[in-house]
Amino acid sequence: MAYLKLGMLALASMLAPLLPLHHAQAEQCEKVAFDESKYVVCTLDVEKADLRLFWKGVDGEPYRAFSSLADAVRAEGRKLTFAVNAGMYRADFSPMGLYVENGKELEPANMAAAERAAGQVPNFYKKPNGVFFLGEAGAGILATDAFLKLAPKARFATQSGPMLVIANRLNPIFIIGSTDRTRRSGVGVCENGTVRFAISEDGVNFHDFARLFRDRLQCPDALFLDGGRGVGLYNPAMGRNDWSWHGGYGPIFGLVE
């Protein structure tokens, strides 16, 4: 009987990485290992969770720091329980592309084609880029062209790029085994409209990061948010209040309770 119990425990240990992420709570962040890389994955049921986009405070200045946003939310008698960078931003912390907050378009869609910098196309301009949005029907991710064509009514929206997963297919521009490895953050819309944010704790390439969303997190659509020094997480339950070494963040996803 002891051998049977040990065998069952060993089997459970082997199967654990393959089991679906549980999300009984409105928001839950947990450590996940996938293909020898470490991640923090946060799962939200947006039908129950108050997920918002933030950029500027009442003084008209960007929040820049998660702690500044937490203070502003606290002043309203609420609590910020989770936050991440919501996409790439300029030197003045303004969003690189489309940004909609509380139903108002504060920045238009960026459809420009960037020139190569040092032989490379900046991540935001890698095709296709896309838009994450929250509307009456829940959360969605669409390639920017499709979003502008369909024009879904959005309460919140942020443009970033490139798309990681498109209709359950990896973005074909990604290279297997690429040596372009850095910390990365992204968001996916998964089964039953569940939203999952992922942040790599190790350097990963785009192909492997996209596979995390499709193969491990079961997200048929996923969007890259930022990389390198722009990756950050706020989650007091995990003791995380990261700072961007760019001098702060631009747009921020925040969960308010």
Side-chain angles (χ1 to χ4, degrees):
M1 182 63 69
Y3 290 111
L4 178 59
K5 289 182 177 179
L6 288 173
M8 292 177 67
L9 288 171
L11 179 61
S13 176
M14 289 186 291
L15 289 178
L18 303 178
L19 295 175
L21 295 173
H22 47 85
H23 49 274
Q25 301 176 9
E27 179 269 324
Q28 176 178 320
C29 295
E30 57 187 327
K31 296 180 180 179
V32 172
F34 179 73
D35 278 359
E36 301 182 354
S37 292
K38 297 177 181 178
Y39 301 87
V40 174
V41 175
C42 300
T43 301
L44 286 74
D45 180 348
V46 294
E47 291 186 0
K48 301 176 182 178
D50 188 3
L51 179 66
R52 307 179 191 177
L53 277 167
F54 298 90
W55 175 20
K56 296 180 179 180
V58 294
D59 60 358
E61 295 296 321
Y63 288 106
R64 294 177 53 183
F66 294 140
S67 54
S68 297
L69 176 57
D71 289 344
V73 171
R74 190 179 304 112
E76 297 178 355
R78 306 291 294 277
K79 181 180 179 182
L80 183 72
T81 59
F82 159 79
V84 295
N85 175 0
M88 282 159 266
Y89 46 94
R90 302 181 178 91
D92 64 356
F93 305 103
S94 62
M96 284 284 293
L98 178 70
Y99 181 81
V100 177
E101 185 177 318
N102 294 319
K104 296 181 179 179
E105 183 180 297
L106 302 183
E107 288 287 327
N110 184 343
M111 302 302 292
E115 296 182 1
R116 292 175 178 266
Q120 295 184 339
V121 175
N123 289 332
F124 180 89
Y125 298 99
K126 290 177 179 177
K127 301 299 183 182
N129 63 20
V131 176
F132 172 93
F133 60 97
L134 288 169
E136 295 176 352
I141 295 175
L142 290 170
T144 303
D145 288 346
F147 179 87
L148 295 177
K149 181 178 181 180
L150 295 173
K153 188 174 181 180
R155 188 170 73 258
F156 296 100
T158 182
Q159 182 185 1
S160 191
M163 293 280 289
L164 296 171
V165 186
I166 311 161
N168 216 38
R169 295 185 179 183
L170 303 187
N171 190 327
I173 68 172
F174 298 153
I175 301 171
I176 299 174
S178 170
T179 57
D180 178 15
R181 303 176 67 85
T182 188
R183 293 184 65 218
R184 303 186 189 276
S185 64
V187 60
V189 176
C190 317
E191 75 280 3
N192 301 319
T194 298
V195 172
R196 288 189 171 126
F197 293 91
I199 291 177
S200 71
E201 300 290 72
D202 307 311
V204 295
N205 61 38
F206 272 119
H207 186 271
D208 293 345
F209 193 44
R211 285 192 59 247
L212 168 79
F213 278 97
R214 186 191 67 177
D215 300 342
R216 176 66 175 90
L217 306 183
Q218 299 178 356
C219 305
D221 296 289
L223 179 67
F224 179 67
L225 293 175
D226 212 339
R229 295 180 175 183
V231 173
L233 169 68
Y234 176 85
N235 188 275
M238 300 185 76
R240 294 286 293 267
N241 183 14
D242 300 347
W243 170 253
S244 168
W245 294 103
H246 292 303
Y249 299 103
I252 295 172
F253 281 113
L255 181 65
V256 176
E257 293 183 355

